[in-house]
Amino acid sequence: MDKGLKLAAAMLCAVVLGACGKGGGDAAAKADAIRVGFSQVGAESEWRTANTRSVKEALVAPEFNLKFSDAQQKQENQIKALRSFIAQDVDVIAFSPVVESGWETVLREAKAANIPVVLTDRAVDVSDDSLYTTLIGSDFVEEGRRAARWLLEDSASRKSSGAAGPVRIVELQGTVGSAPAIDRMAGFKEVIGQDPRFAIVRSQSGDFTRAKGKEVMEAFLKAEGRDGIDVLFAHNDDMAIGAIQAIEEAGLKPGEDIRIVSIDGVRGAFEAMKAGKLNATVECNPLLGPQLAQIIRDVHAGKPVARRVEVEEGVFTRDQAAAELPNRKY
């Protein structure tokens, strides 16, 4: 009987120790995970939703321990999130800044805590570039240039039909003070400024949202009249899609009466191009997750990384929309 009790006790001990060993292993794995604090702008567009999904799918356990925060397009929310990440002593902070300015103080706090910062998608305007390690994202100035180049080429091809000029453009800007709004505007103006026939007659922020894009386009149409607008340049597809609705409600044909070029390359834009309502979209690739994960690995390991990491992108027109639509992942 004593031997039976001893055997049972030994077996129970083995089970307990095995369980404890397993639990210890899980704890060790969690402790070894790279702790990442990520602050996202919000969920204002199809692009941003795809960007968030890509980041979350790339920064998964057991390799990463992701702490995610949605700023709801408010800088004060992002600053609070970054300070929370610092207090939690994460290994790396990554964020897509709502606007360019106003980050100096909190980034100095991160540097003082020896936490490297990776910028995703958007840049910041700081006096000391060492406050962040790298920026991964698109060249927004070039995106603006590409939109303008498409417009110049399309207008040149229409000369025979009497559409040589003048060309009156309205512009739907992104969030005021944000890097894409500032840079896309600069790139677009740089190129159209080479031809005096092209003029931006109205320019206002649509805050990167469909609802605001529609609202501002309604105001543009009211101010300029049915015949006062030749082209709409929208800083993102969602605003363009909202504007398309306003144009249709005014009794005009988007893509015909008013040519439209926008930026992002989301599925909604390809659907609008396929329907003939959007003329062109400049791609801005939101699927940064895998590249971001590798950068975070390298930064955490102390390896050197490039100061600027760009993604490959193209320009698509409505002639390509039907064939390309099945290939879109966002």
Side-chain angles (χ1 to χ4, degrees):
M1 187 68 178
D2 287 344
K3 285 182 69 178
L5 287 172
K6 285 181 181 179
L7 180 60
M11 289 176 67
L12 177 63
C13 183
V15 170
V16 171
L17 287 173
C20 290
K22 184 178 179 182
D26 287 345
K30 193 169 183 180
D32 290 340
I34 303 172
R35 293 163 298 157
V36 181
F38 185 88
S39 176
Q40 180 61 283
V41 171
E44 75 282 3
S45 63
E46 284 187 56
W47 192 99
R48 190 62 57 188
T49 301
N51 180 241
T52 294
R53 184 170 59 249
S54 178
V55 169
K56 286 184 174 180
E57 288 175 353
L59 302 179
V60 294
E63 183 180 8
F64 298 97
N65 179 2
L66 176 63
K67 303 175 189 302
F68 183 88
S69 175
D70 183 337
Q72 299 179 325
Q73 293 181 275
K74 294 181 180 178
Q75 185 179 31
E76 59 266 31
N77 290 345
Q78 278 200 309
I79 290 174
K80 286 178 184 177
L82 265 57
R83 288 194 167 126
S84 174
F85 297 153
I86 294 168
Q88 294 176 70
D89 193 29
V90 299
D91 296 310
V92 179
I93 289 173
F95 78 110
S96 181
V98 176
V99 294
E100 280 196 341
S101 59
W103 302 104
E104 197 96 15
T105 301
V106 71
L107 291 184
R108 287 192 183 281
E109 291 170 16
K111 185 176 181 179
N114 294 315
I115 301 174
V117 174
V118 176
L119 302 179
T120 70
D121 173 43
R122 300 180 176 186
V124 295
D125 183 8
V126 290
S127 61
D128 180 3
D129 285 345
S130 72
L131 294 179
Y132 66 92
T133 303
T134 185
L135 164 62
I136 173 175
S138 304
D139 185 336
F140 298 135
V141 175
E142 182 59 26
E143 288 172 353
R145 292 189 190 114
R146 287 173 180 171
R149 289 188 196 115
W150 170 85
L151 177 57
L152 293 183
E153 291 169 6
D154 186 69
S155 297
S157 70
R158 291 169 179 254
K159 280 185 179 181
S160 59
S161 60
V167 179
R168 296 157 297 187
I169 305 164
V170 293
E171 178 181 36
L172 280 170
Q173 302 173 27
T175 303
V176 174
S178 68
I182 294 167
D183 293 350
R184 286 169 181 170
M185 181 190 299
F188 189 81
K189 287 183 175 179
E190 175 191 318
V191 173
I192 65 164
Q194 299 167 13
D195 191 327
R197 296 176 302 135
F198 294 81
I200 297 175
V201 296
R202 297 269 169 184
S203 182
Q204 187 176 326
S205 173
D207 211 25
F208 285 129
T209 68
R210 291 192 188 193
K212 191 70 174 178
K214 180 177 186 290
E215 178 187 322
V216 175
M217 191 65 200
E218 287 171 344
F220 286 164
L221 288 163
K222 187 175 181 180
E224 296 298 324
R226 289 171 55 93
D227 300 322
I229 302 172
D230 299 306
V231 175
L232 164 64
F233 166 47
H235 287 191
N236 83 337
D237 292 334
D238 278 74
M239 290 189 296
I241 292 167
I244 284 170
Q245 188 178 347
I247 292 167
E248 289 181 319
E249 289 177 2
L252 297 169
K253 290 184 178 180
E256 297 297 336
D257 296 324
I258 298 176
R259 286 178 287 158
I260 305 171
V261 57
S262 57
I263 298 174
D264 272 357
V266 300
R267 286 189 64 88
F270 280 82
E271 289 164 355
M273 287 193 295
K274 185 179 178 181
K277 298 178 181 182
L278 178 69
N279 300 82
T281 184
V282 177
E283 188 177 34
C284 180
N285 189 350
L287 307 181
L288 307 180
Q291 284 179 282
L292 175 61
Q294 188 56 51
I295 287 171
I296 289 172
R297 289 185 193 101
D298 291 343
V299 168
H300 182 59
K303 296 179 182 178
V305 295
R307 283 287 294 173
R308 185 75 169 85
V309 180
E310 293 184 9
V311 292
E312 292 185 7
E313 298 161 338
V315 179
F316 298 90
T317 65
R318 60 185 181 182
D319 295 335
Q320 302 166 288
E324 181 62 25
L325 184 55
N327 303 324
R328 305 311 290 173
K329 295 180 180 179
Y330 54 92

